Amino acid sequence: MADVIDRKAATQNFANEIWTVADILHGPFNDDEYGEVILPFSLLRRFECVLDPKKTAVQAGAETLDEMGIRGDDQYSQLCAVAGLPFYNLSNYRLSNLGQTHTKENLIAYKNSFSKNVRDIFDHFEFDRICERLTKSKKIYAVVEFFKKLDMNVSARTMSNLYEELIWRFADSKHKASKEYLTPRDVVHLASCLVLNSDKEVLTSQNALLRTCYDPTCGTCGFITDAMDYIREQAPNDDLRTRIIPSGQEINDVSWAMGKAMMLLYGCEDDQKTTSMSDLSTGIRYGNTLTNDLHAGTTFDYVFSNPPFGMDWKDVQAEVKADPRFAVGLPKVSDGSMLFLTHVVKKIAEKGQGAIVLSGSPLFSGDSGSNAIRRWLFESGVVEAIVQLPGSLFYNTSIQTYLWLLNKNKSAEKEGKIALVNASELKTLIRNIGSKRYIISNDDIARISREVADFKDSDITKVCDYREFGTRTVTVQRPLRAKFVISEDSIKAVSELKPIQKLDKEAVTAICDVLRESMGEHPLGWKVTLESAFKKANVKVSKAVLNAIAKELLVRDPEGEVVKDKDGNVEYDSELKQTENVPLLDNVEEYFKTEVLPFVPDAVIDTSVVDEKDGQVGPVSYEINFNKYFYKYEPPRDPVVIAAEIVALEEETSQMMKELFR
């Protein structure tokens, strides 16, 4: 532990040293823009230091390949073999010899001489634009002079830790965009622990196992790098530990560049002999995961994600609707997080695990698409646990968040069950960073990990049959009871009916005269009497007109007769229709007998309203309410005690006022 603390302190000290370039940038750049310069220049200096020992050999190799007719990026594999690294640079420039007069032009030429994987990173950083801005503010040479003096001949792990620290410094500033795509370290580490702890073999193996890891919203690749570090910390032998093969996708330019750079740094581990020439960044793709899965057809051992909360997907609605990935259900367009949840589950391999951080809405969103997704998840058995996290954990929001733990290799005793873990009070107060007021400490992470691993009821955990979260929405009908009521108002209403208006004036007058002869209330059988009355008065009325008149004169009456159609079937009162949410574990008929009939004896179950999937009465829906399982009633305080406290405060205030004016 002491070694870990020492390494962390050294990393922070180095980051502090690099961040002093802010003294140069201050003025032309705002404090929330420093990272736009520091991140790419730190990376450039690191690449330079790593490449220096073999730079001459690489340049000679490039000349030989040119003579052989192999030019440009076609030289990649051969030059990487010479460099012993997954990247190279062919320029004669270094930060130390760019010159003071044409610094920008030389610097951009230097950047363009890197292998394509590195050039792509700098292009997404908009390095040329940053150089132009530094030139206009007459700061570019001073910045180059600053970074050329930094000694970055450090281990690859030290550099990756340093770069991660710089990324977090950038997020800790006022830069809103970076906070939006950055998941707090404590949340990331919690997810890594919960997922990897369920695969004990990967943490202890001495067989150099390979595991694939994917994040469809990878940002700076925090989930992936944390998983790598966690395995490294647990492994007793670094040479034989499990290796992670990373993959991801990101839509934001800067965060994609950061993530790809992080993976490139991990790919040149000086103590990772088996992958010293591997470019681990090749699996980090740039694009919109919802509209174009750049890892289509591939599943992964571990999948992590923290999609944007409440993300509107209206602008990609057409593409998403046409994509078979989301055929299980489409949530409302104002919140696309459940689209990512669906995608994550489908990207988990047959015996893989995953974790995704979501807001509360996926637990209970009432729209049909969200419910269809929940039903698919719960009934497929892929959800192992849902952890309610403390509020105010994220930089840009204080909302309550939930970590969904997904597992396609659940043990037999976990089948059909989901653990709800209330970790909302496991938090440590910190100095505010935006909306972030709390962290989840390592001790709290260990506690949550034990709760998930134990998978049994405790004061903060409830293990539930997934059907406890389900209900059947049973439609309850009541018979229409009514009578006929004839009055001047109802006669007027009859005369204004469309079928009546089509008749000539004499016929309308005759119909109204017949009705006036029967003023008052009548039972349902009076319709036959009315028909006879029309015949007796020689008023020709068709069946359609007669039915329209009868319908207009019909008045609901709770004490009236039951209305039936022409075939003798009971008609139901639409105004009295209601639904009952019957727990999925309950028998519908028994529930109806005990919970409905005692209060509404003439009610019946509408058996025509069935679930589309299983054909049984009542559509099925699922939702999870954490309060139902963890709410603790706190009785109100004794009024006498409260009154005494108020009196004491008044006396204290009075005494303070006396001393103030003494």
Side-chain angles (χ1 to χ4, degrees), residues 141-439:
Y141 186 71
V143 168
V144 168
E145 285 288 294
F146 176 89
F147 279 96
K148 79 175 187 181
K149 298 174 183 177
L150 293 178
D151 182 7
M152 290 194 173
N153 284 301
V154 296
S155 71
R157 186 181 183 190
T158 298
M159 183 58 204
S160 63
N161 289 341
L162 171 64
Y163 201 63
E164 183 182 14
E165 180 68 28
L166 293 175
I167 290 171
W168 285 86
R169 293 286 179 94
F170 192 25
D172 286 354
S173 71
K174 299 176 183 177
H175 196 282
K176 294 181 179 179
S178 65
K179 293 176 186 177
E180 288 174 1
Y181 59 68
L182 200 61
T183 306
R185 294 184 188 185
D186 47 334
V187 177
V188 168
H189 191 54
L190 172 62
S192 298
C193 292
L194 292 179
V195 170
L196 295 175
N197 285 346
S198 64
D199 187 355
K200 297 296 184 184
E201 182 184 20
V202 78
L203 298 177
T204 59
S205 173
Q206 292 294 288
N207 298 318
L209 297 176
L210 294 178
R211 289 289 189 271
T212 54
C213 184
Y214 169 71
D215 183 347
T217 54
C218 63
T220 60
C221 292
F223 281 114
I224 298 173
T225 56
D226 193 82
M228 289 176 163
D229 287 342
Y230 188 57
I231 291 173
R232 192 197 311 270
E233 291 168 4
Q234 301 294 316
N237 187 319
D238 197 66
D239 288 336
L240 298 176
R241 61 178 163 80
T242 300
R243 311 291 174 177
I244 292 291
I245 302 173
S247 296
Q249 189 163 336
E250 174 57 43
I251 193 173
N252 180 280
D253 282 275
V254 175
S255 58
W256 176 86
M258 292 179 187
K260 190 170 178 68
M262 288 294 291
M263 289 297 97
L264 200 55
L265 291 172
Y266 266 82
C268 58
E269 286 282 0
D270 54 4
D271 58 350
Q272 187 170 309
K273 301 178 180 61
T274 59
T275 59
S276 61
M277 287 170 46
S278 298
D279 183 356
L280 295 183
S281 74
T282 57
I284 308 304
R285 312 282 169 76
Y286 176 73
N288 189 333
T289 299
L290 293 184
T291 59
N292 185 17
D293 177 13
L294 296 175
H295 297 276
T298 307
T299 57
F300 304 89
D301 298 310
Y302 311 123
V303 181
F304 298 92
S305 181
N306 175 28
F309 302 139
M311 184 199 73
D312 188 300
W313 55 281
K314 186 177 182 179
D315 58 333
V316 295
Q317 194 171 1
E319 295 98 318
V320 170
K321 284 185 174 180
D323 196 320
R325 284 181 294 163
F326 307 114
V328 66
L330 296 174
K332 54 189 177 182
V333 295
S334 61
D335 186 2
S337 59
M338 292 195 78
L339 294 175
F340 285 102
L341 177 55
T342 300
H343 177 73
V344 163
V345 172
K346 291 193 173 185
K347 299 302 277 189
I348 297 175
E350 184 178 351
K351 293 186 177 181
Q353 292 87 34
I356 181 170
V357 183
L358 299 167
S359 65
S361 63
L363 294 172
F364 49 75
S365 294
D367 59 283
S368 59
S370 296
N371 179 65
I373 295 170
R374 274 194 299 274
R375 182 175 187 177
W376 167 64
L377 291 172
F378 294 166
E379 294 183 355
S380 66
V382 71
V383 181
E384 180 173 350
I386 301 176
V387 181
Q388 184 180 46
L389 302 176
S392 301
L393 279 184
F394 285 77
Y395 299 104
N396 62 334
T397 180
S398 59
I399 64 170
Q400 193 94 52
T401 53
Y402 298 80
L403 178 63
W404 293 54
L405 186 62
L406 310 165
N407 192 344
K408 290 189 178 179
N409 192 31
K410 290 165 70 171
S411 57
E413 62 270 18
K414 295 181 180 180
E415 287 297 329
K417 298 178 181 178
I418 298 174
L420 304 183
V421 181
N422 177 21
S424 59
E425 296 304 318
L426 300 180
K427 58 189 178 183
T428 300
L429 186 66
I430 61 169
R431 177 180 60 83
N432 285 22
I433 308 174
S435 296
K436 185 174 178 64
R437 300 176 57 218
Y438 299 101
I439 62 168

Side-chain angles (χ1 to χ4, degrees), residues 480-487 490-491 493-495 497 499-500 511 514-515 520 522-532 534 541-556 563-565 571:
L480 175 60
R481 296 179 180 275
K483 60 187 176 183
F484 290 113
V485 177
I486 316 298
S487 65
S490 62
I491 293 172
V494 166
S495 68
L497 292 172
I500 303 297
I511 289 172
V514 170
L515 292 176
H522 303 278
L524 298 182
W526 176 77
K527 183 179 178 181
V528 176
T529 304
L530 177 61
E531 186 176 12
S532 299
F534 283 137
V541 177
S542 66
K543 285 287 186 184
V545 172
L546 179 64
N547 289 336
I549 294 172
K551 184 177 181 181
E552 184 63 38
L553 298 175
L554 201 66
V555 176
R556 286 180 173 82
V563 178
K564 297 182 180 180
D565 62 20
E571 292 190 15

